Every structure is written in structure tokens, then in C-alpha cells.
Amino acid sequence: MADRKLQLTLNGQPVVTEVVPDDLAMLDYLHEYQNLTGSRLGCGQGICHACVVIVDNPDGTCEEVRTCITGAHYFEGKKVRTIEGHAQLDDAGNPVALSPIQQKFVERFAFQCSYCAPGFVNAATVLVENAQRKPLKKSELEGAIEASLGHHVCRCTGYVRYYEATRDVLGDLGLVKEG
Amino acid sequence: MTRVFSNLALAIGAVFAFAAQAADQQVIKRGEYLARAADCMACHTAEGGAPYAGGLPIHSPFGTIYGTNITPDKQHGIGNYSDDEFFAALTEGKRKDGANLYPAMPYTSYHLIKREDADAIHAYLQSIAPINRAAPTTDLSFPFNVRTGLMGWNLLYGKSVQVQPAAGNSEAWQRGQYMVEVLGHCGECHTPRNLIGALEQDKRLSGGVLNGYLAPSLLAKDLAERGWTQPDLATFLKHGMSAQGSMFNEMYPVVHHSTQHLEDGDLSAMATYLLGDQPPAARVVQAVAHETMTASSQRGRQQYLNVCAGCHGADGEGKPHIAVAMKGNTILRQADSRNLVKVVLDGIREQQFTGFERMQPMPGFAGKLDDQQLTDMVNYLREAWGGLPGDLSTEQLAQLKVD
Ligand code: FES
Ligand code: FES
């Protein structure tokens, strides 16, 4: 085992950690080194997607990545957003406004225990932001939601409401075109 | 008195009829087993479709061929076939109407099927539920869409698979040869094909490329080089998994539809045939110190830790019921890195094996790692656990990606 330095951008802030074990999982890095405990460990084996974060790609697109099965050093030089990076905060660091997806998930009572919610928020945000670059056709809408959220597991079975809320946000933001 | 006799005659008649029926049942059972061994289902059943009702697309360099309906339906299936006609279809690729079947139907191997085995398979297929549904029409480009064109091909290659003389080999070896070469038609994928799709007999079982993946060599020396022993090979066929890894790609349906249903004796016969009565010793891979690896492999270790170790373990030990071990894995030990590269790019769907055994889906990394990162990772895998040099170049990798 060896240690190495890790540099990345985390929720908009450049971060450097001098000593990170080479085989540390990203989820453990977030929890133990950054005190960002919002990303959840569910299955720990790449199935439930409770642990996903958002990676912003250089080409302007973004994607979700599972942090339980991906090493921290995979994120070297990458721009990463976690669930802590969505809401607007005041100077004291308290949330003052939720993101559109977060807000709609609350209004729609999408989650109950909320264990899966960080993963769903990140996945739905990726869908919305990618639709902002390339709006969806109405005929693609359901398939796109399924492709984004379908592999996320919610043991409180909030699926229908998650889907409804996501559909609402896409519609409200004018990201669904006729066709 | 006459009445007693006639009652007796009736009773005897009933016993005979019963015995005949029981014999029929036995033939049907045997036919079912043989159909499993010949893996008819893999091509003649569409994913999620009715058994043997056809519809599975088989992609070939010449176009898409669809598995036909071989249920006893009279309109779309083979309900009107006699035993002779069925035998001709199986062994010569002749349809009832005289047209030639495409050699996606492995009559090149089946031509050596014993007549009584063919009849038993036919009896079994006649006993299953008829499905009144046409399979999609095969769609090949010219000139391959002209079935008569196959006459010459058949003359040259129709009986291309030949078995070796039994002399000097054990009974298990002989049975194994029939299971592997004829019923199992393993050579149809594991033997390379020439430009017009015929098996290159002089390179028999030395490995063929199928839809971008390598059906690896099954020659004894190559199997031993990749770590195979007879018991492991039999276990692999029975359960789709062994210490050498799990079946994926085109072999996954094979364990699913065929080999898991075979008797242990037949499976070990197949292993005996493939590795020989005097099997070569399986090569053991020695651990390689990190510092002695190529620079590429040394870099590749970090790529491995980044995207593989979460499931396959930092030391390649794997996780039970989640992901197979890399240590001892046979794919890493193929000198040609084709399958390793493809599997890393494409990933593997979630898989079910025998009993409660499962393997979780493996994500594909196409577009997630650049060519240098992929090359480094593949080199690390080759060198750390494959007993191979970490000498793949980015150019070779780029070539494998598009192949
Ligand atoms: S915790 Fe990462 S996918 Fe379940
Ligand atoms: S809200 Fe409880 S798991 Fe989804």
C-alpha cells in the first residue's frame, strides 16, 4: 500500500490532501477526510447508487459516479459535486434555498427515510443539467427519466414520486420540447 | 373360456402398449438430454421467448440469421418432418423442401451425430408444445442470400469436422470427443474461420474470433498454460464458474441452456478429451514484485485500484457473489489481450449461475479511461496475475478497440 497526494475540486472549492492511501474508496475519502457525510453507503458494491456524486466533465456535460466502488484517486483533477453542494448557503453555511430538484422532491414527498435521497438528487440533477444543454423531446422524456433514475434503489419505494417530481422540474424549466 | 382368453389378450395388449409408451418416454427423455448437449436452445430460442420457437438473431459477417422455430407446429415449426427429414436437416443442413440451411446451423459438426441420437432429439422436439409463430426472416446480403450458392460450400466444407481415431484413448476421451466435437459443436466458435465462413480445420480448436471477442484456444497445451485442470474444466462447465473465473459473453448462454444440465460423467469426459488422457500440468503463475514490472504496469496498478479494486479486491482476491477474483483468472492469461480489453470496455451484464450463485453487473469503462490509462491497467493485470509481460502498447490497444 502506498499513499499519494490527491487534488480535486469539491463543490467548487479546490482541495488538496497530501496523504491519501492509494486504495481508499472515494466514499471513505468524502466521509473521513472531508467530513462530507451526506453521500450514503448502501450496498457498497455498485448496485443501489445511494453513494453517487456528480462529476463535471471538461466538455460541459456531467455524470454520476458511484463512490463506493471507485477509488478516491480516480477523481484526481476532476470537478466533483456532492449532495452538500446543491443548496444555496448563507455566509454562515446554512442552507437558504434548495435546488429545484431538492425543492420538488420535498414538495412531492418523494423520500421517506431519505437514505437514497442524495443519490436520487444527484442523478436527477445530472438529467436536468444535461437537458439544459440539450432539451429532451417529449417522446424521449420517460425513457430519459428511467435511464437516469431506474438503477437507483429506494427501499421505501418512493419511485413514483421521484419520477413525478423529476418530470415536473424538467417541465417547469421548459426542458421538454414537442416531438 | 373364450372370454377368459380374450380378456387375457386385452390385458397383454395393454401391457405392451404401456411398455411401448414407457419406451417412448425414455426416448423422449434421452432426446431432451441430447438436445441440451447439442445446445439447440441457445440459437432456437429468442431471449425471453418460448422455448425452441426461434427468433434469436445470430450476427454473422454476412448479415443476420435468425434461429428457426423447431417446435412441432405444422405451419411454422418442424411438425411435418419425418425422422429422415429431421436427420437430413441436422446432418446435411437440408430443409424439408430441399433448400439449404445456412451453416449457422452447425451441421458441419452434427453430420457425425449418431442416427439413434438424432431420432431421440426429434422425438423430444415432437413432444414439446407447438408454437404457431414464424421466426423473423433471415436477412443476408448478396450473394449470401442465395441459398443454392451453398451447394458448393457444402461440398467443400459441409462435413468439415472430423473426429480422431478412438484407438489408444480411454472411453471417457472417446465420449468426450463426441460431446465436444459433435453434440457440443464447440469448434464452431473455438476454431478460426476463413473468409467465406468455413472452419479452418488445420487450426482446429485453436481459437476463433466471434463478434469482436476471442473464443479462446481449447488445445490442451493452451488450456494448461492458462491454468486449467480437468476437474476445474468440468466444474466450469457445470457451474459456469471455477477458480479461473466465470463464463461471459457467448459462453454464458451455453452454461445456461446446455452444460449445467449435463451429467457429471459427460462433463468430466469433455474435460478428459480437451486436456487429454495424460493432461499437461497446469501452469502456476508466480507473483511478480511491483518494482520489477514495466513502467506501464506500475502506473496501471493505480488505475486498477481506482476502478477495479472496489469489487475485484486490492489484491485481486475478488468478492464472493459480487465479482470474480483476478488472481488465477484465465482471461488475464490469454496472450492476446483482446478479451480483457473488450470486457473492460463493454462490461458484463448481471449474471446468474447455478444454485444461488450470482455475479453483479460489471460496468464498462469505454469513454471513462483514456487509451494510456486503459493500456496501463491491462498491462498491470497481465503482469500481476496473468504471468504475461506488461508490454501492450497504446497502438495495439487502439486497434483492439476498433476490431
Ligand atoms: S453504496 Fe454505492 S452503489 Fe450502493
Ligand atoms: S426514502 Fe428510504 S430508501 Fe428511499
Side-chain angles (χ1 to χ4, degrees), chain B residues 68-84:
Chain B
T68 52
N69 181 341
I70 54 167
T71 69
D73 183 62
K74 291 203 187 314
Q75 191 185 0
H76 298 297
I78 57 167
N80 290 321
Y81 276 59
S82 67
D83 276 350
D84 283 345

Side-chain angles (χ1 to χ4, degrees), chain B residues 186-339:
Chain B
C186 307
E188 300 283 335
C189 297
H190 289 274
T191 298
R193 289 177 184 271
N194 65 17
L195 281 177
I196 53 167
L199 298 170
E200 295 184 58
Q201 280 314 307
D202 51 333
K203 301 194 185 127
R204 184 110 202 93
L205 294 186
S206 67
V209 174
L210 196 71
N211 297 327
Y213 280 79
L214 178 74
S217 166
L218 301 182
L219 299 178
K221 65 171 175 40
D222 295 335
L223 287 171
E225 179 66 25
R226 301 201 306 271
W228 288 101
T229 63
Q230 284 175 348
D232 283 351
L233 210 46
T235 302
F236 191 63
L237 292 169
K238 179 88 195 170
H239 298 292
M241 295 180 69
S242 65
Q244 289 78 0
S246 61
M247 288 190 189
F248 67 100
N249 200 251
E250 305 271 352
M251 265 314 270
Y252 179 62
V254 176
V255 67
H256 213 68
H257 297 308
S258 176
T259 56
Q260 67 163 311
H261 302 283
L262 302 185
E263 289 161 8
D264 291 350
D266 276 342
L267 294 172
S268 79
M270 291 168 83
T272 302
Y273 170 67
L274 287 170
L275 279 162
D277 277 325
Q278 265 81 46
R283 181 176 162 213
V284 179
V285 171
Q286 303 299 336
V288 181
H290 187 71
E291 309 73 56
T292 63
M293 291 183 184
T294 61
S296 169
S297 298
Q298 290 194 20
R299 288 193 303 270
R301 162 112 183 128
Q302 188 60 56
Q303 301 304 333
Y304 175 81
L305 291 174
N306 288 354
V307 298
C308 316
C311 299
H312 294 290
D315 295 314
E317 68 277 23
K319 278 191 193 168
H321 321 301
I322 294 173
V324 294
M326 294 290 97
K327 213 183 254 170
N329 197 294
T330 188
I331 303 183
L332 276 50
R333 302 178 62 169
Q334 290 168 5
D336 178 348
S337 288
R338 172 183 291 272
N339 284 0

Side-chain angles (χ1 to χ4, degrees), chain B residues 20 25-26 97 124 155 177 184 211 233 287 300 308-309 362 378:
Chain B
Q25 280 309 318
Q26 255 181 13
D97 64 6
Y124 164 65
L155 270 178
Q177 170 160 255
N211 297 327
L233 210 46
C308 316
M362 164 170 162
V378 167

